[in-house]
Amino acid sequence: MPCERKPLRFAHCEGHTEVCFDDHGKFIVTCGSDGDVRIWESLDDDEPKFITVGDKAYSLALKNNKLVTASSNNTVQIHTFPDGDPDGILTRFTTNATHVTFNCSGSRVAAGSSDFLVKVVEVSDSSQQKTLRGHEAPVLSVTFDPKDDFLASSSCDGSVVVWNIEEQTQVISWPLLQKTNDVSGANSLCRLAWQPRRAKFLAVPVETKVVLYERGSWDHVITLSDDLLTQPVNVVAWSPCGQFLAAGCVGGLLTLWDVNSQLCVERQKHEKGFTVCSLAWNPSGSQIVYSDTMGCLGLLDGLSLSSSSTSTSTSTSTSTSTSTSTSAPKPTAAKKPAKEYDDLFDDDDDDRLMDEGLSDTNSPLKKHVAGDEDDDDDDFLMPATGRVRNRGAILDDENSLDTGSLKLGPGKFGDDDEDASGAIVPVSAPVLPLRPVYDGPMPTPPQKAFQSGSTPAHLTHRFMMWNSVGIVRGYNDEQDNAIDVEFHDTAVHHAMHLTNSLSHSMADLSQEAVLLACSSTDELASKLQCLHFSSWDTNKEWMVDLPKGEEAKAVCLGQSWAAVATSSLILRLFSIGGLQREIFSLPGPVVCMSAHGEQLLIVYHRATGFDGEQALGVQLLQLGGRRRQVISGEPLPLTHRSYLSWLGFSAEGTPCFVDSDGIVRMLNRSLGNTWTPVCNTRDTCKSRSDHYWVVGVHENPQQLRCIPCKGSKYPPTLPRPAVAVLPFKLPLCQTSTEKGQMEEQFWRSVLFHNHYSFLSSSGYETDEDGQSKSLKEQQELLMKMFALSCKLEREFRCVELAEMMTHNAATLAIRYASRSRRMALAQRLSEIVLEKANQIQEEEPEEPESSSIRRNSGYDQSEAAAGHHSPTRGEQEEEEEEEQEQERGGELCEEGDQQEMETEEPTGNRKRFNPFAKESVSSVTPSLTPINKAGRANPFKVLGSGKPSAPPGQTRVTNILDNMTSSRKAAPHAGSAGKANKGPVLKPLAPRPKSKAQSTLLQMTGSKTTSKKTRDSSEPTAQQQKQQEAPPPASSADNTENKRPKTGFQLWLDDNRKSILADHPDMEAETDVIKEAMGRFRTLSADERLSWTERAKGLTGEAADLKKRKRATGEGEDGVDHENGATEADENSAKKKKSLDPSSKLSAFAFNKK
Amino acid sequence: MDPLEVEFLAEKETVKIIPNFSLDKIYLIGGDLGPFNPGLPVDVPVWLALNLKQRQKCRIVPPEWMDVDKLEETRDLERKEDTFTPAPSPYYMELTKLLLNHASDNIPKADEIRTLVKDIWDTRIAKLRLSADSFISQQEAHAQLDNLTLMEINTIRTFLLDSLNCMYKLRSNLQPASSKGQYADF
């Protein structure tokens, strides 16, 4: 029999517990040693109603809305159900009662006690008592015969006794149990159970078995056992149909037998292995609820009893009879339909009993015939039909028949068969009508409106509001009906104590006022009361009556306004002084409202939810200067089968909400107002029933303020709960890995950074410091991730990361990449940087402000990066960038005036020089810096001159193309370059093309700014000057240059260097060599130069050859290079400084000359 | 060492308070404190907590060990063991005194806690006396006592040292060789 074991939950404190269902199966009722009776609407009910019945509750029984409990004050008392009002004391013992039970009709209660007595009391008149004396030890359990004639009890003296109630005599007594002195010492509670309806069997748990005695003969007819049952059976319970018997054991095993087949149809193990001490069937038969000695409550659901009937029928032929000689229950497949058919006509128990009595007469015959099983089965067809025939004839009353059957003696075994098979029938017959016809998804009851930050309204002491401003507590007990307002910050206002004469149930609190609302009563309309304590006049209070029939459902306070949502789907706005403002209709019944500044967040029921889901919609309105609806009725994404439990804004004004599953979600304004889960408070809970009650969300610093609640969903008012701070955590994958962690941190930082842009866009002043800090943090994280990806050889990932970086961080990334010798990566990154630079430029003319922000952020970023690299670097770079920009500005002003530019350049150089002078920490040698500077400044002009009179668009196109070709060319070289890099001494001698990354970037910027320029005749001079300045930085550039394609000039220089050096042995500086070389190159004929250029183009093929040559010359030139080489490492990383691309410059030169 | 001095040292212990005012971080020689957010617990030294409490600027959150159940456990353990068990806090006595005297309204079941801490203290001091007694009676040269708090050491120090000195004198006088010294004293 398939069934679902629902997770356990704590219901009571440790100790004996009992559980039962109410008459309709709607409620689960439990009692425990904490003296409470709890009424659970379902297993998930977090706020069960409770009735305190005493210090300890030993047993309970429920029937006809009367709750009978045995409590520690030695009484058996009645309470009304479900209200829990005391309804008198039924009986008293000299010590506590151990078990109470109702009879079938609910007219009598039997109670067994530790003083050896069993009492049977009329519920209607407690003076009518019958005392059954005879046990010699405390009574363990009592059970009524469904026909009310007998009562069975078990006792610690080891006996199980059947009593005749009327005569108060023992009918029979079996010594079945172990003797003990006390209930607590008994190894089994030995809860007896009498088969319902049929009243055929009395089930007695004996050790690890359940023994079934037959009513009347009191013979032991069936033993139910299971191999897995190793510990004593504590409690047994019959299914409402009487076919199945459930047993709960000491070790926590739950076993379900089909009594007809005597087969175990279901076994469930208690999830913690605690002793099951109570079991109850839902009257519908589909659920079993059980409780254990540790106070846990569990449920088996979805027991489909009818499905097992087929299995029982198949098993019939194999089942053997028990202690008695005749075959016990043997229903056949053929017989069952007939039975069911019968039952269609006689659902009534009485009728069936009559039939059974009748069929007894047939059974002796049967018994004689029954030679083997098959014959038996065949025979069964007869009585079945016989019954139908006989039914009309028998008109006697039930009791006479019953007694008749008792006297029949041998016939009863046939009766056995009838009964057992008959027992199957009620399963389908009476249960079916109870089942709803509609089997699809069921609508969820809509969540009630609530104030976020309040505890449930039914509590006598509750928080009406706990928010970032203060606490509003409501007391509603016998002595007092009052409201306490307390402020976290006493500077806002002193604490207030108000008498709650109007019985306000809703409250909100802001820095300016306290807003209270009550629902209407018979005479009074629903009222809104506002204590405007920050008012400067003497009237600190106002009150408004809502129109008749309109109820306040939710209230909230914004900045100088108040809002109330009412039952007639209207939202009313008031000014804080009490003026009525806007009014509008809500799309659905409000669930919760929250306000922050000028924002109003409303959550309402969008539609009916199904299967436990709530269909909530959310509206976000901006009520200030720019009135608009930011979110217009979008669905609120809740966790599956949860409801809204908190709604509010972060302190910075971002809407957040928490659902009953503890997931905190925050609005992501940068992603189209989507909701991002930022925290799961349940993750940090130690136990399943612990919760965090959220009171506030802060984005900067990232804090989720909440109150830890042990074993409940909300905190009690006393002792005063303490606020705890939880961290946020986005539910990204694999956050245990370093990568996942950083990703989570990054995206969290991005998300929690959104409020800055929101605040600035809505005109609030923002915390620049915090903003820059978070930007810095983000870039830092990106760099870390970049470094990690580099380490893991994930270059594509590196590029993806670089795309997310700011311009400056990306250049740092390039530096990192080239330093870790990932040239291909550096190459790609340079393209990204280039694009970013373009973007900045494009944005600049349009939005100068935004670009300045960008620069700012860039600054932070570089500082951040400096944490990992050299701090001076970052600053240098920043300053340089500014210089560059300055310069660009200068150029734009003096368009076309090349001469002026030339004059300006030195100034720029000087300016730029300063940081270096200042920052002597940097290992850049002074001799190199000026060269560098010059190199840096040049690109603008060089490129401008390189592409004379090209229209701007075209310029860019060529640039991009250049870039692409160069990268393509670079690729095949990478391998060899890598090898070459390993040689530590191999320095590039000649001016080699620089790392393309820098050059392209600067080409672009240069070309852009200068594209509009017209060239004048001074160009060649400028060009020349630049060339003279340019080579040195290139020469000091890193080894990566080796792989760059060479220009014709370089090739020529490589070839002729020796001769130049030979001619001028005094030449130490590379600049001089190049100067000289340039002079010589120029003297060559145009054709010769062209051929060199051509050779340069075809270089790829001869790369290896050239490399050799280069190496040879390189070794020769080591001395020359030496001082440059010393600082090479620094140069290498300082990309920006090496902005000049000699190769492009030189090729431009060649082109011009051509 | 004066008990007051020990108390002074104990005031450096941190305790959680819930301020009802707002203040940025404050930078002190002993370290940075804060920031103080109304309603949000923050760790501060006891001396500041008490100062703020006296000015009604905060509520004090009792330390974790200052809980009836935990103290009962400690007391029972202390009574069961012959040796000293680790004290709930190195300054449990001082802190209890300070906090209960100044902020008993913020500490649930203050009276019970006071009794429990006194019980623990009495048990420990009794053990201490006992061990001092056996130390002297057995004429040991050294003894090891673990898990003693500063206050406890301080309580016994003067008495123990003085009496040991005294006993040393008496004992050395008993020896025949020292009879000369006795004369010298005169």
Side-chain angles (χ1 to χ4, degrees):
Chain A
M1 186 186 302
C3 75
E4 183 192 355
R5 193 184 66 191
K6 295 282 177 63
L8 280 181
R9 63 162 303 144
F10 280 104
H12 291 277
C13 66
E14 259 176 57
H16 179 73
T17 53
E18 269 196 24
V19 63
C20 68
F21 274 101
D22 77 325
D23 296 344
H24 311 288
K26 231 175 105 189
F27 298 103
I28 300 169
V29 186
T30 61
C31 74
S33 52
D34 48 10
D36 282 354
V37 171
R38 304 216 164 123
I39 302 163
W40 313 75
E41 279 180 44
S42 70
L43 200 64
D44 306 323
D45 188 359
D46 287 311
E47 293 159 30
K49 277 212 257 182
F50 66 90
I51 306 164
T52 306
V53 296
D55 287 343
K56 273 185 167 189
Y58 292 98
S59 179
L60 88 168
L62 177 63
K63 203 125 216 178
N64 301 340
N65 292 338
K66 289 206 187 318
L67 178 71
V68 172
T69 51
S71 68
S72 50
N73 55 1
N74 306 344
T75 59
V76 174
Q77 30 185 339
I78 307 187
H79 288 81
T80 58
F81 179 85
D83 304 321
D85 300 326
D87 200 13
I89 289 172
L90 263 186
T91 183
R92 287 176 200 274
F93 292 96
T94 52
T95 177
N96 65 280
T98 51
H99 192 204
V100 290
T101 185
F102 267 107
N103 69 350
C104 207
S105 58
S107 59
R108 286 167 167 181
V109 168
S113 147
S114 294
D115 60 7
F116 312 175
L117 298 184
V118 175
K119 283 187 185 175
V120 180
V121 192
E122 292 291 328
V123 176
S124 51
D125 180 6
S126 59
S127 62
Q128 289 194 32
Q129 294 194 357
K130 291 199 168 70
T131 308
L132 307 174
R133 294 167 200 270
H135 278 303
E136 289 161 352
V139 179
L140 284 170
S141 114
V142 287
T143 182
F144 269 108
D145 165 24
K147 294 174 184 166
D148 251 9
D149 295 329
F150 302 111
L151 182 136
S153 65
S154 59
S155 161
C156 290
D157 61 13
S159 62
V160 173
V161 177
V162 178
W163 309 80
N164 185 320
I165 299 172
E166 286 311 312
E167 297 166 16
Q168 302 179 36
T169 53
Q170 288 192 8
V171 177
I172 192 161
S173 170
W174 297 286
L176 292 171
L177 312 171
Q178 274 186 358
K179 291 188 182 184
T180 52
N181 284 327
D182 189 37
V183 177
S184 58
N187 61 2
S188 160
L189 289 174
C190 194
R191 291 280 193 251
L192 310 171
W194 215 300
Q195 187 180 30
R197 293 169 187 277
R198 203 105 309 102
K200 187 85 198 148
F201 296 117
L202 171 67
V204 182
V206 180
E207 296 293 312
T208 62
K209 298 183 178 71
V210 179
V211 178
L212 267 55
Y213 287 91
E214 192 191 20
R215 186 182 197 276
S217 72
W218 311 118
D219 281 334
H220 175 183
V221 280
I222 298 174
T223 303
L224 298 171
S225 63
D226 187 46
D227 294 341
L228 291 176
L229 272 181
T230 52
Q231 284 180 289
V233 177
N234 226 0
V235 49
V236 291
W238 288 93
S239 67
C241 60
Q243 188 194 352
F244 297 95
L245 185 70
C249 309
V250 169
L253 199 70
L254 294 162
T255 315
L256 208 57
W257 285 282
D258 182 332
V259 176
N260 296 333
S261 63
Q262 302 167 34
L263 288 184
C264 176
V265 290
E266 179 67 37
R267 294 179 193 100
Q268 285 284 339
K269 185 89 184 120
H270 185 290
E271 68 188 68
K272 287 177 182 153
F274 297 151
T275 297
V276 174
C277 58
S278 183
L279 261 183
W281 286 77
N282 189 313
S284 75
S286 62
Q287 290 179 324
I288 295 179
V289 69
Y290 58 94
S291 65
D292 62 42
T293 50
M294 301 303 280
C296 297
L297 179 65
L299 184 76
L300 298 180
D301 201 358
L303 295 162
S304 49
L305 300 184
S306 48
S307 72
S308 64
S309 57
T310 50
S311 69
T312 55
S313 65
T314 54
S315 64
T316 46
S317 56
T318 53
S319 68
T320 52
S321 63
T322 50
S323 57
T324 48
S325 58
T326 45
S327 58
K330 297 254 159 52
T332 61
K335 182 174 178 176
K336 222 178 296 156
K339 275 284 190 183
E340 273 166 43
Y341 176 74
D342 278 359
D343 266 89
L344 289 179
F345 299 100
D346 52 15
D347 288 348
D348 192 355
D349 274 2
D350 297 357
D351 274 54
R352 203 176 306 122
L353 287 165
M354 279 180 355
D355 289 344
E356 280 149 15
L358 265 179
S359 61
D360 285 346
T361 52
N362 292 328
S363 47
L365 278 173
K366 223 192 302 163
K367 196 187 166 195
H368 299 302
V369 179
D372 63 16
E373 306 278 3
D374 287 330
D375 280 357
D376 222 5
D377 284 347
D378 291 338
D379 264 331
F380 271 82
L381 288 168
M382 282 305 291
T385 48
R387 270 182 65 188
V388 178
R389 247 187 285 122
N390 288 333
R391 187 190 297 137
I394 303 296
L395 293 166
D396 294 68
D397 77 294
E398 173 202 347
N399 284 338
S400 66
L401 266 173
D402 219 22
T403 44
S405 78
L406 280 173
K407 286 167 197 156
L408 271 169
K412 67 184 176 273
F413 299 117
D415 192 14
D416 244 348
D417 299 340
E418 295 290 343
D419 254 357
S421 54
I424 304 168
V425 181
V427 179
S428 47
V431 171
L432 261 178
L434 290 178
R435 270 186 201 148
V437 184
Y438 175 66
D439 207 23
M442 295 303 287
T444 322
Q447 181 180 3
K448 283 185 190 130
F450 69 101
Q451 289 292 105
S452 131
S454 68
T455 51
H458 63 78
L459 301 171
T460 52
H461 291 205
R462 62 182 284 240
F463 289 110
M464 294 173 80
M465 175 57 64
W466 183 318
N467 62 16
S468 57
V469 179
I471 303 166
V472 182
R473 270 172 303 200
Y475 301 98
N476 186 10
D477 47 23
E478 290 88 34
Q479 312 143 8
D480 208 5
N481 191 357
I483 293 174
D484 260 346
V485 184
E486 191 185 309
F487 296 87
H488 294 314
D489 192 342
T490 43
V492 177
H493 197 262
H494 57 78
M496 289 186 274
H497 182 85
L498 321 162
T499 47
N500 190 6
S501 49
L502 291 166
S503 64
H504 289 298
S505 56
M506 284 159 267
D508 196 9
L509 183 63
S510 78
Q511 305 270 357
E512 304 166 314
V514 183
L515 187 66
L516 300 163
C518 61
S519 46
S520 64
T521 58
D522 290 342
E523 309 96 61
L524 294 168
S526 179
K527 281 185 205 305
L528 194 65
Q529 186 180 11
C530 180
L531 309 175
H532 182 209
F533 53 77
S534 71
S535 159
W536 46 262
D537 68 5
T538 48
N539 263 328
K540 307 270 188 204
E541 192 179 328
W542 54 269
M543 201 181 286
V544 165
D545 278 11
L546 293 180
K548 208 155 176 60
E550 205 171 317
E551 298 261 346
K553 286 288 176 191
V555 294
C556 69
L557 275 171
Q559 196 175 37
S560 75
W561 53 268
V564 54
T566 67
S567 55
S568 41
L569 305 190
I570 286 176
L571 191 126
R572 297 170 183 275
L573 285 174
F574 295 85
S575 76
I576 198 72
L579 288 174
Q580 300 204 41
R581 277 176 56 180
E582 294 88 338
I583 176 168
F584 60 88
S585 281
L586 291 170
V590 73
V591 175
C592 193
M593 280 204 304
S594 186
H596 178 274
E598 288 164 343
Q599 300 177 84
L600 173 62
L601 187 64
I602 310 161
V603 170
Y604 57 89
H605 284 290
R606 183 163 52 85
T608 307
F610 284 91
D611 279 347
E613 309 272 4
Q614 297 284 344
L616 303 181
V618 61
Q619 256 185 322
L620 178 62
L621 295 135
Q622 186 88 34
L623 297 171
R626 289 188 300 162
R627 297 177 177 212
R628 64 205 172 93
Q629 193 164 357
V630 184
I631 301 178
S632 49
E634 275 154 41
L636 193 71
L638 290 169
T639 313
H640 189 55
R641 292 194 175 185
S642 69
Y643 51 89
L644 186 69
S645 61
W646 187 85
L647 179 76
F649 287 87
S650 73
E652 287 77 9
T654 311
C656 304
F657 73 91
V658 185
D659 61 31
S660 56
D661 271 12
I663 312 283
V664 185
R665 288 188 179 77
M666 182 177 267
L667 188 73
N668 189 350
R669 294 189 202 260
S670 66
L671 194 64
N673 288 337
T674 49
W675 297 90
T676 309
V678 290
C679 184
N680 185 352
T681 59
R682 302 305 302 278
D683 280 352
T684 31
C685 290
K686 285 188 195 89
S687 124
R688 225 189 129 253
S689 47
D690 288 358
H691 289 86
Y692 281 96
W693 194 64
V694 176
V695 294
V697 176
H698 287 243
E699 290 180 76
N700 183 32
Q702 295 178 13
Q703 290 179 334
L704 179 67
R705 298 185 183 176
C706 44
I707 295 168
C709 308
K710 244 193 169 158
S712 68
K713 288 210 155 181
Y714 43 82
T717 51
L718 280 173
R720 203 188 154 102
V723 178
V725 171
L726 288 186
F728 290 105
K729 189 180 177 195
L730 301 190
L732 288 189
C733 305
Q734 291 181 311
T735 43
S736 52
T737 66
E738 203 183 347
K739 171 177 166 279
Q741 260 167 29
M742 288 196 284
E743 284 164 344
E744 192 271 334
Q745 279 178 33
F746 175 72
W747 286 109
R748 181 152 47 86
S749 174
V750 168
L751 178 68
F752 282 82
H753 181 252
N754 281 337
H755 69 268
Y756 290 113
S757 55
F758 163 71
L759 286 178
S760 60
S761 76
S762 48
Y764 293 106
E765 59 181 54
T766 55
D767 173 17
E768 301 262 331
D769 244 25
Q771 185 174 12
S772 59
K773 233 183 250 169
S774 67
L775 270 172
K776 182 173 139 183
E777 185 199 331
Q778 285 165 27
Q779 295 302 323
E780 231 169 84
L781 282 166
L782 280 174
M783 271 318 284
K784 275 190 205 164
M785 283 192 267
F786 182 87
L788 186 72
S789 307
C790 263
K791 237 184 263 165
L792 299 173
E793 311 268 331
R794 293 279 192 177
E795 301 204 348
F796 191 87
R797 227 178 249 172
C798 289
V799 173
E800 286 176 326
L801 283 167
E803 272 162 10
M804 289 193 275
M805 292 180 186
T806 60
H807 181 239
N808 275 12
T811 54
L812 278 170
I814 296 177
R815 195 193 292 173
Y816 185 93
S818 51
R819 209 189 261 177
S820 53
R821 308 198 171 165
R822 294 177 196 282
M823 294 315 152
L825 176 60
Q827 181 68 40
R828 288 200 183 270
L829 292 182
S830 74
E831 286 161 30
I832 292 166
V833 172
L834 186 63
E835 249 164 66
K836 281 188 195 288
N838 275 338
Q839 274 168 12
I840 294 175
Q841 277 181 345
E842 272 162 35
E843 279 165 27
E844 218 156 69
E846 297 153 25
E847 287 178 69
E849 244 180 83
S850 80
S851 80
S852 78
I853 287 167
R854 220 172 247 274
R855 262 207 282 158
N856 262 341
S857 61
Y859 184 71
D860 300 315
Q861 144 52 29
S862 68
E863 259 191 347
H868 310 283
H869 306 285
S870 116
T872 46
R873 274 286 142 59
E875 279 162 42
Q876 280 167 17
E877 253 176 45
E878 176 48 37
E879 278 184 70
E880 272 165 27
E881 200 187 44
E882 273 171 19
E883 296 302 345
Q884 199 180 324
E885 237 144 1
Q886 217 175 341
E887 213 173 317
R888 200 185 300 147
E891 277 179 325
L892 285 168
C893 295
E894 300 150 46
E895 263 178 35
D897 195 343
Q898 191 71 24
Q899 203 56 50
E900 279 237 33
M901 256 173 60
E902 287 298 325
T903 53
E904 193 194 275
E905 201 179 31
T907 357
N909 282 346
R910 236 177 288 130
K911 264 199 248 163
R912 233 177 271 118
F913 188 76
N914 282 339
F916 285 88
K918 196 166 56 194
E919 319 252 9
S920 53
V921 208
S922 126
S923 55
V924 180
T925 53
S927 70
L928 274 170
T929 35
I931 299 162
N932 260 332
K933 289 298 123 194
R936 240 191 125 283
N938 281 332
F940 304 113
K941 290 150 221 169
V942 171
L943 279 170
S945 58
K947 310 207 159 112
S949 70
Q954 204 187 326
T955 321
R956 194 180 297 172
V957 168
T958 41
N959 258 322
I960 289 163
L961 285 175
D962 278 355
N963 207 7
M964 278 160 67
T965 48
S966 67
S967 65
R968 228 183 291 131
K969 270 186 220 159
H973 283 271
S976 58
K979 268 178 236 151
N981 280 340
K982 277 165 199 156
V985 225
L986 288 180
K987 313 286 189 227
L989 310 172
R992 302 245 164 77
K994 288 215 43 193
S995 128
K996 210 71 186 178
Q998 260 51 49
S999 63
T1000 43
L1001 159 64
L1002 288 155
Q1003 270 169 13
M1004 281 302 258
T1005 47
S1007 71
K1008 271 221 71 178
T1009 47
T1010 56
S1011 56
K1012 282 180 230 152
K1013 273 181 224 160
T1014 53
R1015 300 284 148 207
D1016 62 18
S1017 53
S1018 67
E1019 223 183 305
T1021 13
Q1023 186 85 38
Q1024 200 173 340
Q1025 199 181 343
K1026 261 166 262 151
Q1027 275 173 355
Q1028 284 161 1
E1029 289 167 342
S1035 73
S1036 62
D1038 62 20
N1039 294 344
T1040 64
E1041 288 160 19
N1042 285 343
K1043 66 184 174 187
R1044 297 282 163 213
K1046 308 207 162 205
T1047 61
F1049 172 70
Q1050 279 171 296
L1051 287 176
W1052 181 85
L1053 181 64
D1054 286 350
D1055 277 2
N1056 295 287
R1057 181 183 291 270
K1058 272 192 181 160
S1059 65
I1060 294 168
L1061 282 170
D1063 290 355
H1064 306 270
D1066 53 332
M1067 273 193 194
E1068 286 285 0
E1070 185 73 14
T1071 15
D1072 294 339
V1073 178
I1074 286 158
K1075 230 183 248 175
E1076 173 65 21
M1078 227 175 286
R1080 289 193 188 194
F1081 188 68
R1082 227 167 278 153
T1083 57
L1084 296 174
S1085 75
D1087 281 353
E1088 260 175 333
R1089 281 198 301 250
L1090 195 62
S1091 76
W1092 278 109
T1093 331
E1094 225 100 86
R1095 267 179 71 181
K1097 278 179 196 156
L1099 183 72
T1100 348
E1102 329 160 354
D1105 181 37
L1106 268 172
K1107 196 141 276 172
K1108 266 182 224 155
R1109 244 194 282 175
K1110 229 187 308 169
R1111 205 164 294 159
T1113 46
E1115 270 147 22
E1117 288 303 304
D1118 251 353
V1120 182
D1121 251 350
H1122 193 74
E1123 64 180 279
N1124 286 341
T1127 56
E1128 186 185 303
D1130 290 322
E1131 286 304 315
N1132 183 10
S1133 50
K1135 308 243 150 159
K1136 277 269 184 170
K1137 286 163 226 149
K1138 299 176 286 163
S1139 49
L1140 185 59
D1141 182 358
S1143 89
S1144 65
K1145 205 187 302 171
L1146 290 171
S1147 57
F1149 170 71
F1151 175 72
N1152 268 353
K1153 285 297 162 187
K1154 250 191 295 173
Chain B
M1 219 163 145
D2 202 66
L4 284 177
E5 288 174 301
V6 183
E7 194 180 271
F8 176 78
L9 291 179
E11 283 183 352
K12 265 194 188 154
E13 287 288 287
T14 58
V15 69
K16 262 198 176 48
I17 60 161
I18 298 169
N20 58 18
F21 60 95
S22 188
L23 188 70
D24 235 0
K25 254 191 179 178
I26 50 176
Y27 304 96
L28 304 176
I29 299 174
D32 302 347
L33 297 177
F36 298 90
N37 290 310
L40 200 62
V42 61
D43 278 318
V44 295
V46 171
W47 59 265
L48 182 62
L50 294 179
N51 183 290
L52 291 172
K53 175 68 195 170
Q54 281 169 342
R55 289 191 285 153
Q56 301 192 328
K57 290 278 187 195
C58 75
R59 284 189 303 121
I60 293 178
V61 181
E64 221 166 88
W65 56 265
M66 207 179 273
D67 173 80
V68 173
D69 291 342
K70 280 184 187 147
L71 286 175
E72 266 172 3
E73 217 170 90
T74 322
R75 181 194 60 187
D76 295 344
L77 190 69
E78 189 69 58
R79 284 181 176 167
K80 215 169 67 189
E81 297 279 321
D82 284 336
T83 53
F84 291 92
T85 56
S89 150
Y91 297 103
Y92 72 99
M93 193 61 195
E94 302 90 307
L95 290 180
T96 312
K97 204 149 192 117
L98 286 170
L99 295 182
L100 288 181
N101 282 350
H102 295 104
S104 53
D105 50 335
N106 294 154
I107 296 165
K109 300 184 181 169
D111 290 338
E112 275 179 62
I113 285 171
R114 204 190 294 269
T115 323
L116 280 168
V117 171
K118 188 83 172 80
D119 283 352
I120 294 171
W121 171 263
D122 288 345
T123 319
R124 290 172 71 95
I125 290 296
K127 275 186 197 173
L128 194 57
R129 288 207 193 102
L130 206 67
S131 49
D133 180 53
S134 61
F135 175 71
I136 288 166
S137 60
Q138 289 169 25
Q139 303 202 9
E140 293 289 343
H142 60 87
Q144 186 182 357
L145 290 177
D146 288 338
N147 297 325
L148 272 181
T149 66
L150 186 56
M151 192 60 125
E152 286 154 358
I153 295 171
N154 205 37
T155 337
I156 197 99
R157 183 193 283 121
T158 9
F159 167 73
L160 187 65
L161 292 186
D162 284 352
S163 46
L164 282 177
N165 274 336
C166 207
M167 294 199 23
Y168 173 73
K169 255 186 215 162
L170 292 172
R171 280 200 184 119
S172 52
N173 287 348
L174 278 180
Q175 280 162 18
S178 63
S179 53
K180 274 177 214 162
Q182 213 171 8
Y183 289 119
D185 275 349
F186 284 103

